[in-house]
Amino acid sequence: MNFLTLKDFDKGFLEETLDLAVKLKANYPNYAQSLKNKTLAMIFMKTSTRTRTSFEAGMTKLGGHAIFLESKATNFTLGSLADEASCVSRYADIIMARVFAQEQVEVIAKSSDVPVINGLSDSFHPCQTLADLLTIQEKKGDLDGKKLAYVGDGNNVCNSLIVGCSKLGMDVSVATPKGFEPAEKSSNLQLTSDPAEAVAEADVVYTDTWVSMGQEKETEEKMKIFPTFQVNKELMAKAKLGALFMHCLPAHRGLEVSDQVIDSEASVVFDQAENRMHAQNALILKLLEVE
Ligand code: CP
Ligand code: NVA
């Protein structure tokens, strides 16, 4: 079984994964041998801090091993992606890949005999959403009926949040400038170009970079369009009292979020980052059918 987008998974699987993540987080010694002699191969076509570190440290915690394969230091661009991925799958028990087009992670999955996890593509970031759901559950209890407002660029992180939150019964409200709406749609989704409208009654206010990796050419245009979509103190004040502030990181302080908000009591960004490891470890155990 591959984990390429949350669309392929039902509510039950996501809830089981979150439950297992809670158990792991509370008691790693119980799982210290769970992935003994197992190897995760990590293919990176883009840079990373959290994804690499959380997967690699996570494998160590479960008694396994991770190999970092940076695309420029390997032969992924000399040989065909399918051939190179086939070879990696002969050595590894599971693969995680961070790619540009979603089709690239699909090619890797087709060529692989072992499960493949999407560690971010231009379209989706499902591991991030899994960690975010774990974080919201920790802070707010039940996910059902809660409202997440996403303000900014309708990107990969936004798409995965729409899918994951909707599957777990949350309402999602997304405010983007016109022309930057997310590709994903859902019956629980409200779209607007007014950040204040999106955050009204929100339990969680979420933002991400205005310029994702691979889109650097759009920077100049976006810097003119996006400033009114900054999450600042004034916008947070329009959300529900006690609303969380979330960001997948890396954050561009002073652009999509003010220092005051990301450093405030409402901000749970480092819990999100930590939860990447626990959520992904649970996911790996489930994909490998260890738990
Ligand atoms: N949030 C996230 O995926 O961070 P990195 O790009 O640093 O891995
Ligand atoms: N949307 C961002 C997320 C980084 C974790 C990007 O794709 O660059």
Side-chain angles (χ1 to χ4, degrees), residues 75-136:
N75 283 337
F76 277 89
T77 45
L78 291 185
S80 84
L81 181 57
D83 289 347
E84 298 301 293
S86 294
C87 294
V88 172
S89 98
R90 298 285 181 106
Y91 307 125
D93 300 281
I94 185 159
I95 294 173
M96 186 278 299
R98 168 165 285 195
V99 299
F100 287 90
Q102 179 74 9
E103 292 72 36
Q104 291 175 309
V105 76
E106 286 165 8
V107 168
I108 294 170
K110 266 208 189 92
S111 319
S112 167
D113 299 325
V114 300
V116 174
I117 296 172
N118 180 358
L120 181 146
S121 70
D122 293 343
S123 306
F124 296 111
H125 198 359
C127 294
Q128 182 67 52
T129 294
L130 217 47
D132 296 340
L133 291 169
L134 179 61
T135 309
I136 300 168

Side-chain angles (χ1 to χ4, degrees), residues 7 14 20 61 71 89 100 133 264:
K7 289 196 270 193
L14 298 179
L20 182 55
K61 276 207 167 333
S71 62
S89 98
F100 287 90
L133 291 169
S264 70

Side-chain angles (χ1 to χ4, degrees), residues 80 115 197 201 237 240 253 256-257 282:
S80 84
E197 186 188 339
E201 291 304 311
K240 202 181 263 180
R253 288 165 173 261
E256 73 268 10
V257 59

Side-chain angles (χ1 to χ4, degrees), residues 46 50-51 98 120-122 125 128 150 153 155-157 208-209 211-214 248-250 276:
K46 293 173 176 167
R50 280 145 292 273
T51 303
R98 168 165 285 195
L120 181 146
S121 70
D122 293 343
H125 198 359
Q128 182 67 52
Y150 179 98
D153 185 33
N155 61 14
N156 44 9
V157 168
D208 182 19
T209 182
V211 182
S212 286
M213 290 180 273
C248 59
L249 304 180
R276 289 290 302 276

Side-chain angles (χ1 to χ4, degrees), residues 153-155 158-159 162 174 176 180-185 189 191:
D153 185 33
N155 61 14
C158 181
N159 283 330
I162 292 169
V174 173
T176 68
F180 295 92
E181 293 85 1
E184 271 318 303
K185 300 284 173 272
L189 172 66
L191 287 180

